[in-house]
Amino acid sequence: MKHLVNTVDKKAIKGTLVWFLSIIISNSINAQHMEDFIEYDSFIIVDKPQEKYKGIYKDGIPYEGYFSKGDSEFPRVDYYEKGKPKFQYSLDIYQMALNEESEEMEVTEEMTEESYNMYLKNRYKPKLNIKSTYENEKIVNGYRYEEIKSGLLTRKIKNAKTIALFVDVFAMHFYQRIHIILDDDRIYIKSPTMEMSEGSLELQLYREDNTWITKQELNQETIGLYYFVIGEPQKLLSDTTFFIYDQEGNTYGYGYKEFENMGNGMNLMDINSMYFSNPDMFRTKNIETFFEDFIDLYVVQMSKEEVRPEEPEIYKGYIHTDENAEIIKGIRFFENKGDMYYEKYGKGDILEHKKVSLLDFQHIFKTYLENNR
């Protein structure tokens, strides 16, 4: 009997220990879940000033409150409600680069030591003063950011559509911002940082009928005009050097108008490479759709190493026009109801008119170009 009691007691004690241990483990897990949160004091949200910002996780995933993300040098904070991001808080990196968000505060005799220490603690914290709105986990109004090598791409979003792109590029002793903005039927590209030292350089990209025009201005003076024509050019432009070529079964034209100060070496964006790398994109009729495609292509180019566009597949012409848009020099291939020929021009006159196939014209064209450029 004594042996039986001891056996029962041991089993009871063992069972009690297992039960007690399970309670401890359970409480430990519950406590761990209760403490599954994070706190930040390295930034200030201007609309919600607090000493600390708390974010609560659920099953290891952001659930409620504030969660920092992105590069520590450029903080962004998402605010969650019930597991869904509702707002994003950020700041303009341009203001941060110029130290515009860290203003000096006048120290007065009335200021206590505690308030002064708090001022010093908060003075250099990033001030997040931009509020963006999420819908279905995507920014639909506000700013969307993408980090790239040595820089940051910032899309300005309105009603789920991109209306502007800001490009910030950093190097050891260099910082440049570029704005790409859609305004009515034109895309404007400019650099506020360049204006500080080089003057006001601006690119305008717009469409007239089947011709895309890139106008380059320096201090409101036109210093360059570039043309991209969809289809066989029906109307030539004045004072222009013009190429006509086929790419992927379609005909395009590319030209430029020279100015005395055109070759100053300044540029904000290589739009010409876009012409050649994705010409079909420029067929888009709707400017808003085109702008979205334009931004997407530019973002891809920014994230890749520089790639030289492929040469056109088929050449059809190289001509110069005068102020009346008449051809004064060049060579051009024509095809009219099965009749194929080329014309060579000089001093405003037709010097040659010969029948030739498009394939044979390629050799004639390249020989002409070697001798006349």
Side-chain angles (χ1 to χ4, degrees), residues 130-146:
I130 298 175
K131 183 179 181 180
S132 303
T133 304
Y134 280 103
E135 190 173 297
N136 297 323
E137 302 190 4
K138 289 186 177 180
I139 298 290
V140 293
N141 283 291
Y143 295 83
R144 192 169 82 221
Y145 304 94
E146 181 178 343

Side-chain angles (χ1 to χ4, degrees), residues 210 229-237 240 242-246 251-254 314-321 325-336 339-346 349-358 360-362 364-366 368-369 372:
N210 68 329
V229 179
I230 300 170
E232 192 80 36
Q234 303 299 320
K235 180 182 177 182
L236 297 177
L237 302 159
T240 302
F242 211 78
F243 281 93
I244 305 166
Y245 59 94
D246 281 1
T251 299
Y252 302 98
Y254 170 76
I314 300 291
Y315 290 96
K316 284 189 169 180
Y318 171 66
I319 54 180
H320 300 269
T321 62
E326 299 291 337
I327 300 175
I328 55 174
K329 181 183 177 182
I331 187 170
R332 185 177 181 184
F333 176 84
F334 294 90
E335 183 174 3
N336 185 20
D339 184 20
M340 294 182 288
Y341 60 92
Y342 77 87
E343 290 181 346
K344 188 184 293 184
Y345 308 89
D349 297 324
I350 299 176
L351 303 180
E352 287 185 21
H353 178 103
K354 291 184 178 181
K355 289 190 175 184
V356 68
S357 68
L358 182 57
D360 290 338
F361 177 73
Q362 300 309 298
I364 296 170
F365 177 86
K366 291 178 181 178
Y368 176 85
L369 217 61
N372 291 273

Side-chain angles (χ1 to χ4, degrees), residues 139-319:
I139 298 290
V140 293
N141 283 291
Y143 295 83
R144 192 169 82 221
Y145 304 94
E146 181 178 343
E147 295 174 20
I148 59 172
K149 185 178 180 181
S150 302
L152 186 75
L153 302 177
T154 305
R155 292 176 186 251
K156 185 176 182 180
I157 311 292
K158 184 176 181 180
N159 297 327
K161 293 184 177 181
T162 302
I163 61 172
L165 178 73
F166 306 121
V167 184
D168 296 281
V169 179
F170 295 89
M172 184 66 72
H173 302 291
F174 173 82
Y175 167 63
Q176 179 168 309
R177 162 166 279 202
I178 296 174
H179 292 174
I180 308 171
I181 299 170
L182 175 62
D183 187 2
D184 197 17
D185 61 350
R186 292 195 180 200
I187 297 172
Y188 293 87
I189 303 165
K190 59 181 73 176
S191 172
T193 50
M194 187 178 288
E195 289 179 7
M196 297 177 183
S197 56
E198 303 287 352
S200 177
L201 180 65
E202 178 180 89
L203 298 181
Q204 297 178 20
L205 177 61
Y206 54 97
R207 181 172 183 156
E208 291 183 354
D209 297 325
N210 68 329
T211 302
W212 284 92
I213 301 171
T214 303
K215 181 164 69 169
Q216 189 179 37
E217 290 188 348
L218 179 63
N219 298 325
Q220 287 75 55
E221 179 185 356
T222 302
I223 61 172
L225 283 171
Y226 302 88
Y227 306 99
F228 182 67
V229 179
I230 300 170
E232 192 80 36
Q234 303 299 320
K235 180 182 177 182
L236 297 177
L237 302 159
S238 63
D239 296 317
T240 302
T241 300
F242 211 78
F243 281 93
I244 305 166
Y245 59 94
D246 281 1
Q247 190 83 4
E248 297 180 356
N250 297 305
T251 299
Y252 302 98
Y254 170 76
Y256 56 90
K257 187 172 184 176
E258 292 187 338
F259 294 79
E260 289 184 6
N261 54 355
M262 189 173 182
N264 58 13
M266 289 197 301
N267 204 351
L268 294 174
M269 179 184 293
D270 187 7
I271 296 177
N272 296 343
S273 68
M274 295 189 181
Y275 289 153
F276 294 112
S277 63
N278 194 357
D280 199 52
M281 181 183 76
F282 290 81
R283 293 181 176 274
T284 305
K285 297 292 184 182
N286 184 287
I287 187 66
E288 292 183 352
T289 302
F290 172 80
F291 184 69
E292 290 276 1
D293 294 340
F294 182 84
I295 292 299
D296 289 341
L297 180 58
Y298 179 71
V299 169
V300 170
Q301 285 191 335
M302 286 291 293
S303 60
K304 296 190 332 185
E305 296 293 331
E306 185 175 354
V307 178
R308 186 174 181 179
E310 295 183 6
E311 289 195 10
E313 297 167 356
I314 300 291
Y315 290 96
K316 284 189 169 180
Y318 171 66
I319 54 180

Side-chain angles (χ1 to χ4, degrees), residues 31-86:
Q32 185 178 357
H33 280 301
M34 289 177 63
E35 295 177 1
D36 200 4
F37 66 88
I38 190 169
E39 289 185 336
Y40 307 93
D41 64 355
S42 58
F43 54 81
I44 295 175
I45 298 175
V46 174
D47 284 351
K48 304 280 185 179
Q50 299 175 22
E51 286 190 24
K52 290 184 179 181
Y53 296 87
K54 184 175 182 178
I56 300 173
Y57 292 94
K58 185 176 182 180
D59 299 326
I61 299 173
Y63 185 75
E64 199 82 26
Y66 303 89
F67 297 87
S68 181
K69 64 179 183 179
D71 193 322
S72 60
E73 295 182 359
F74 178 59
R76 283 156 281 159
V77 175
D78 279 344
Y79 174 73
Y80 278 73
E81 287 186 357
K82 297 181 179 179
K84 300 292 183 182
K86 188 171 183 179

